[in-house]
Amino acid sequence: MEFCIGTCAKIDSIGLAKQAEDAGASHFGVGEGPLLFSDPYQYLALAAQQTSSIKLGTWVTNPLTRIPPVTANSIATLNALAPGRTFLGIGTANNALRSMGNRPAKLTELDNALTVTRELLAGRRTTQKWLGQEREIEFLDHNGYWYNIDDPVEVWMSAGGPKGLAIAAKHADYMTYCLGPNPDMIGLVRRELDKAVADAGRPPGSVKLVALSWFYQLRDGETWEDGIDQGFGSGPISSCITNAGFMNEHVDELGESIVKASTDAAMAYLGDPKDPNAPHYLEVWAKYLRGLDPVHRPLITKELVDYWCLYGSPDELLEKTQLMREAGADMVSVFLSNPFTAERDIADIGSSILARA
């Protein structure tokens, strides 16, 4: 079973990648946030030296903080260290750019970046628009001395909404979507993705759906509230932020209750940008993916936890993982939102899910 484990890039925690490999995970990814985490490519380069089979990649980078030739070079360099087990995860960047007070990338910018990056990784000459100019570019090392573009690099895209799905259908091998163990939501995204793939003229199944969830294994006597306090913390709010727009387009299918709950949590987290008393964006993001911010605790209800999180006893975790796959997810993944408990969580994933799948 393909299963991806992701976490923040913390440069002194390289051993997590090897632990994930030993636990049976097929993929391991690290996030990018220039003001938030360690540099992902330095992390992945070190992880490549400590692993032998697990696929490694960004989860995710973006087209604005690194222009396409830089991203293509970075991932091709990693591919030289981990030949054939490298993937490029990319999206519009919720945290990397918002934490700097900037807008996420436009979908047109992401589309263009993916076009250029894929052409470069395929060893072809392409045209890049940059600094008000159009210039032809290509990798100039044709002998594989400096980087590796001979072994294919999987392209993962984090998407949301119909326009994002269309771009993923056009470019991606895998599409990551924030999903919990709710078959209605998974089925909706699966249906819309398959339609987008068909519209893009690609064969059915060309783009695999990766369901990204938040994880915690309950101990004896623990409840869903312990999952928040001891596990995924504020993570579920990220699912609300990335899904609110798409969910509101399908409220009749998903139900008003969960759509409203997710939208309200997202708005409460981000605040009203027009409010003169709104907190500074650096304050908003200072505790992002550091576990639980007590300020956010009232926003995370059982309804949201049940909808967005992969949590429960070992038997419940395995059952929910199987449900997610049966509902249409090709791969189940978890992003460990608390780097300080990642080692514990990877061990739990290995024993409760991967060893029994």
Side-chain angles (χ1 to χ4, degrees):
M1 177 177 71
E2 287 193 313
F3 195 102
C4 183
I5 296 175
T7 189
C8 313
K10 190 171 184 293
I11 198 64
D12 59 352
S13 299
I14 304 298
L16 295 176
K18 176 60 175 173
Q19 184 189 6
E21 178 178 77
D22 292 343
S26 59
H27 294 71
F28 185 86
V30 289
E32 177 179 34
L35 300 184
L36 294 165
F37 318 127
S38 303
D39 181 82
Y41 289 105
Q42 294 183 53
Y43 183 104
L44 292 166
L46 293 173
Q49 303 299 291
Q50 296 189 14
T51 56
S52 59
S53 61
I54 196 167
K55 294 185 177 182
L56 303 168
T58 52
W59 204 25
V60 297
T61 187
N62 69 83
L64 295 187
T65 61
R66 302 175 195 265
I67 63 173
V70 174
T71 293
N73 178 279
S74 294
I75 209 71
T77 301
L78 178 63
N79 202 29
L81 297 175
R85 57 187 187 98
T86 299
F87 68 94
L88 170 63
I90 191 168
T92 58
N94 175 50
N95 65 67
L97 289 160
R98 289 186 190 276
S99 62
M100 295 191 290
N102 297 111
R103 64 166 176 82
K106 298 177 181 177
L107 288 173
T108 53
E109 293 168 333
L110 180 58
D111 188 6
N112 292 333
L114 279 164
T115 298
V116 173
T117 302
R118 293 216 71 153
E119 289 294 290
L120 289 173
L121 291 174
R124 293 189 287 264
R125 181 172 296 191
T126 188
T127 299
Q128 177 184 233
K129 295 179 181 179
W130 187 49
L131 298 180
Q133 299 174 313
E134 287 191 14
R135 291 291 185 268
E136 291 184 329
I137 57 172
E138 67 177 320
F139 276 133
L140 299 178
D141 170 25
H142 300 289
N143 299 313
Y145 185 78
W146 300 103
Y147 34 74
N148 175 14
I149 58 173
D150 291 329
D151 292 293
V153 173
E154 296 172 352
V155 172
W156 292 36
M157 182 181 145
S158 294
K163 293 181 180 179
L165 291 171
I167 295 173
K170 178 180 175 183
H171 294 290
D173 302 302
Y174 293 74
M175 187 195 77
T176 304
Y177 211 100
C178 286
L179 294 165
N182 183 278
D184 293 336
M185 184 67 178
I186 295 172
L188 170 62
V189 175
R190 174 85 267 174
R191 184 190 74 207
E192 295 300 308
L193 174 60
D194 289 346
K195 181 179 181 299
V197 169
D199 291 343
R202 297 177 68 185
S206 295
V207 184
K208 295 184 178 180
L209 175 59
V210 182
L212 182 153
S213 192
W214 309 94
F215 177 87
Y216 183 67
Q217 179 178 308
L218 296 180
R219 271 58 183 176
D220 289 344
E222 290 187 331
T223 69
W224 66 275
E225 294 173 303
D226 293 295
I228 302 171
D229 297 331
Q230 307 300 327
F232 38 74
S234 304
I237 299 178
S238 291
S239 296
C240 298
I241 293 172
T242 57
N243 275 304
F246 179 75
M247 294 179 76
N248 275 282
E249 294 177 0
H250 297 277
V251 62
D252 292 340
E253 189 169 348
L254 298 174
E256 184 177 349
S257 177
I258 188 60
V259 174
K260 184 178 185 303
S262 297
T263 302
D264 288 349
M267 294 302 100
Y269 180 88
L270 293 174
D272 182 357
K274 298 179 182 179
D275 183 353
N277 298 315
H280 195 280
Y281 54 85
L282 292 176
E283 297 174 3
V284 172
W285 290 94
K287 296 182 180 179
Y288 180 70
L289 294 188
R290 304 291 197 274
L292 177 65
D293 183 346
V295 173
H296 303 148
R297 184 64 178 80
L299 304 178
I300 309 172
T301 64
K302 188 175 188 300
E303 183 178 24
L304 294 178
V305 170
D306 288 345
Y307 203 86
W308 298 119
C309 300
L310 181 60
Y311 80 101
S313 67
D315 287 343
E316 289 170 333
L317 289 168
L318 181 60
E319 180 181 350
K320 289 179 179 180
T321 301
Q322 293 170 337
L323 180 152
M324 294 170 76
R325 290 174 58 84
E326 291 168 0
D330 297 296
M331 184 191 303
V332 176
S333 63
V334 298
F335 198 91
L336 304 178
S337 57
N338 188 345
F340 306 105
T341 60
E343 185 174 343
R344 175 204 67 191
D345 293 335
I346 293 173
D348 288 342
I349 292 166
S351 61
S352 62
I353 299 173
L354 298 178
R356 303 162 65 198

